[in-house]
Structures are given as C-alpha cells and as structure tokens.
Amino acid sequence: MAKLSTEELLGQFKDLTLLELSEFVKAFEEEFGVTAAAPVAVAAAPAAGGGAAEETVEQDEFDVVLEAAGDKKIQVIKEVRGLTSLGLKEAKDLVESAPKAILEKVDKAAAEKAKEALEGAGATVTLK
C-alpha cells in the first residue's frame, strides 16, 4: 500500500459522512489502543500541576452569599432590594431560601460593601 500524505488523508476524510468518520475514529481507537480524549487529559495535567502558582494570584471576583437572614428579616430584605434590582417578592423569596448568592462576580470593594450592609441589617454573609 502506498503511503498517503497528510493532505491526501485530509482529502479522503472530507469525502466521508459524519457517521463514517465516527466509525473510523472508533476503529482507529481499537486498532491502536488509544482514545480521542487522551490529548485532553494530557493537556489538563500540566494545568493541574501549575495550580500552586495560580493560588498566589489574588482573587478579583467574589460572590456575596447570604447564609442566614437573622432576626431582622425585613431589614435584610430591604438591603437585598437595595443591592439588587429585585422586587419585594423576589427579594423576600431569596432571603427565605438562604443560603443563596446575592451578588455574583463582583469586585472586592463592592463585595465588602454589600457584606457590611447585610451584616448591619442582621444577616450572616460569606464571600466566596
């Protein structure tokens, strides 16, 4: 059998239907004992190893999570409405379904300000 160049192989693959190409990939994997997912796993491994270096980078986006409303639920609902664009019913439902994220992916200053406001109203809040 004559050896095909990469361009000739690609030309042959262009003529295949998706079903035929899928069958080819399965046969290729069985013949050579490989999987199409292997390159993804190899690429992910160095990223996992570099995680220690990434941890030193300071977090710049925070989620403000309401853990509990506390005794002054009405004050907390008012604060939630002030921090979000929710109506009274939506804010009440959110407060009653705690723990729940109030704000997501906000900067540190906004997260700290929201946390102080909610804690001032009697809520228990965490930043993630």
Side-chain angles (χ1 to χ4, degrees):
M1 178 176 184
K3 198 172 193 180
L4 297 175
S5 71
T6 303
E7 289 142 8
E8 292 170 330
L9 280 172
L10 288 175
Q12 292 294 319
F13 289 131
K14 286 180 184 177
D15 294 337
L16 296 177
T17 65
L18 287 177
L19 184 58
E20 292 170 331
L21 190 57
S22 174
E23 291 171 357
F24 170 78
V25 170
K26 288 178 186 174
F28 187 89
E29 290 174 343
E30 289 174 10
E31 177 71 26
F32 296 103
V34 296
T35 63
V40 174
V42 172
E54 293 174 11
E55 289 178 22
T56 59
V57 176
E58 187 173 329
Q59 182 178 353
D60 61 350
E61 290 184 341
F62 295 86
D63 293 344
V64 180
V65 180
L66 176 69
E67 297 295 333
D71 296 335
K72 302 176 184 175
K73 190 186 323 183
I74 294 173
Q75 294 296 343
V76 174
I77 293 171
K78 287 181 182 179
E79 288 299 330
V80 168
R81 289 191 67 204
L83 294 169
T84 64
S85 60
L86 296 175
L88 180 61
K89 180 173 180 356
E90 292 83 6
K92 179 181 179 283
D93 292 344
L94 191 141
V95 169
E96 289 176 346
S97 66
K100 200 76 157 176
I102 303 293
L103 299 172
E104 294 179 336
K105 297 184 181 180
V106 295
D107 63 4
K108 186 174 184 174
E112 289 291 335
K113 184 178 177 183
K115 181 179 179 184
E116 288 177 20
L118 288 165
E119 286 178 343
T124 305
V125 181
T126 58
L127 299 180
K128 295 184 178 182

